[in-house]
Amino acid sequence: MFAAENGLKGDPRLQAISEAIRVVPHFPKPGIMFQDITTLLLDPVAFKHTIDIFVDRYRDMNISVVAGVEARGFMFGPPIALAIGAKFVPLRKPRKLPGEVISESYELEYGTDCLEMHVGAVQPGERALIIDDLVATGGTLCAAIGLLERVGAEVVECACVIGLPEVKEKFKLIRGTPLYVLVEPRQLEDCRLRSKMDMRREADELALTS
């Protein structure tokens, strides 16, 4: 579900979050409109809004594990975990964790990939939240759920900052697990329109002060 459809319709924080995300066309390959959350991290107000909305949602759900998907899930997961009193567990790409791991493979458009988690990081019966920056096909989140369920954890929900519009119908659930998304991807046209509006506003302010 999208935050705007779950009690936050018209919340100005969602607009601030969306506007802080930069669109980079044709990256990493032609035809892709890359949603760059590094500009969100540069905006302390919008970044705080992002964390606050997630914290408000999960504060009272008795979650003991926040699992972040490499790599951008690492940016949002730790502050959420600290705020709700949970531990943070990184779900990493192959050969990045030094200890004994369990692995879960998933399909990509061209081939497969894998997520790994340290053995013993999550205990049976723990309630877990999975966090990532964006959901598109849902494959990565499915792998993350698989890892946690294999060790006996209960995955309460998956949470993403950005979700493709198709998510509304196609991915209300990921392997039976609820999905919570803050905003839809920005379009390049939206960025250009916002830039023009900002330029007009700055010109108006300059005229008033001169």
Side-chain angles (χ1 to χ4, degrees):
M1 73 189 79
F2 277 73
E5 300 168 349
N6 189 54
L8 293 182
K9 184 176 182 179
D11 192 315
R13 295 178 299 175
L14 295 179
Q15 182 177 352
I17 292 166
S18 179
E19 291 177 355
I21 297 167
R22 175 173 56 182
V23 179
V24 182
H26 309 303
F27 179 85
K29 61 182 181 179
I32 300 295
M33 293 297 172
F34 186 78
Q35 304 291 309
D36 181 14
I37 55 89
T38 64
T39 49
L40 172 62
L41 302 177
L42 291 173
D43 185 331
V45 174
F47 185 34
K48 185 176 187 302
H49 289 334
T50 305
I51 302 304
D52 286 349
I53 291 173
F54 284 133
V55 169
D56 289 345
R57 180 168 180 79
Y58 299 115
R59 188 192 310 276
D60 299 319
M61 289 193 183
N62 297 316
I63 290 169
S64 59
V65 176
V66 176
V69 178
E70 187 172 351
R72 290 178 285 274
F74 295 177
M75 301 172 187
F76 300 99
I80 295 169
L82 286 172
I84 67 175
K87 62 185 176 184
F88 176 74
V89 174
L91 306 181
R92 301 217 61 183
K93 296 297 178 67
R95 298 175 297 279
K96 295 293 183 67
L97 293 171
E100 183 183 0
V101 300
I102 60 170
S103 304
E104 187 82 13
S105 297
Y106 59 99
E107 296 293 326
L108 297 172
E109 186 178 0
Y110 301 106
T112 62
D113 208 338
C114 178
L115 286 179
E116 295 183 340
M117 179 176 70
H118 270 141
V119 171
V122 178
Q123 303 302 315
E126 288 199 274
R127 288 168 58 83
L129 166 69
I130 296 171
I131 183 81
D132 202 357
D133 69 321
L134 182 144
V135 55
T137 66
T140 308
L141 292 179
C142 285
I145 293 169
L147 275 179
L148 290 160
E149 289 185 341
R150 279 171 55 192
V151 298
E154 176 189 356
V155 181
V156 176
E157 194 159 83
C158 296
C160 293
V161 179
I162 310 163
L164 301 187
E166 307 90 87
V167 167
K168 291 183 179 180
E169 297 301 326
K170 192 175 180 182
F171 292 121
K172 290 181 179 177
L173 300 175
I174 302 285
R175 283 182 55 163
T177 300
L179 171 66
Y180 185 72
V181 176
L182 297 191
V183 298
E184 293 184 10
R186 295 194 71 194
Q187 302 301 314
L188 194 59
E189 291 77 12
D190 297 336
C191 298
R192 287 170 176 164
L193 177 60
R194 176 59 55 182
S195 178
K196 289 178 181 178
M197 291 174 62
D198 289 342
M199 289 173 66
R200 290 196 194 102
R201 186 175 64 250
E202 290 171 2
D204 291 341
E205 291 173 351
L206 182 60
L208 288 173
T209 57
S210 60

